[in-house]
Amino acid sequence: MAKKAASSKVVGLMRVLIAAGEASPSPPLGPALGQRGINIGQFCKEFNERTKDFKKGVPIRTKITIHTDRSYMFTTGNPPTSYFLKQAAGIEKGAHRTGMH
């Protein structure tokens, strides 16, 4: 994580799903971080290092806090429940129209 200065204020918060071990500077993550002034390469390296023990490709809930001095902090959470339900059912996508059979 980038170091947070004592006087920097939070200017942004991003909540994204990123595949474990597969963060890259390509869209959609790269441009979203770049326009906020975050070093994309450094973030991807840190995220991939932190998620190296997860199964590759599992979506991870990630909360990125952006500070005025272009530093950031991020926390990782658990994968969404829908991911596990789809894995257990052996399907790739859910219903096109909810509530319909």
Side-chain angles (χ1 to χ4, degrees):
M1 277 182 281
K3 301 292 182 197
K4 183 177 107 172
S7 63
S8 68
K9 293 185 178 183
V10 174
V11 294
L13 179 68
M14 291 177 61
R15 292 183 182 160
V16 293
L17 283 174
I18 307 172
E22 296 181 357
S24 67
S26 61
L29 183 61
L33 295 175
Q35 70 185 6
R36 289 169 174 82
I38 293 177
N39 183 333
I40 303 163
Q42 179 184 358
F43 174 83
C44 292
K45 181 179 175 185
E46 289 176 17
F47 179 84
N48 291 335
E49 179 65 28
R50 190 180 294 183
T51 60
K52 69 181 176 187
D53 296 330
F54 287 87
K55 180 180 174 185
K56 194 170 184 118
V58 174
I60 303 294
R61 290 182 179 146
T62 308
K63 187 176 180 181
I64 306 167
T65 306
I66 305 160
H67 302 278
T68 55
D69 61 356
R70 293 186 179 193
S71 64
Y72 62 89
M73 290 179 24
F74 71 97
T75 56
T76 56
N78 296 326
T81 304
S82 61
Y83 169 77
F84 293 114
L85 292 172
K86 288 187 275 187
Q87 290 295 308
I91 58 175
E92 289 185 26
K93 294 174 70 176
H96 293 283
R97 292 178 32 202
T98 57
M100 300 297 192
H101 298 289

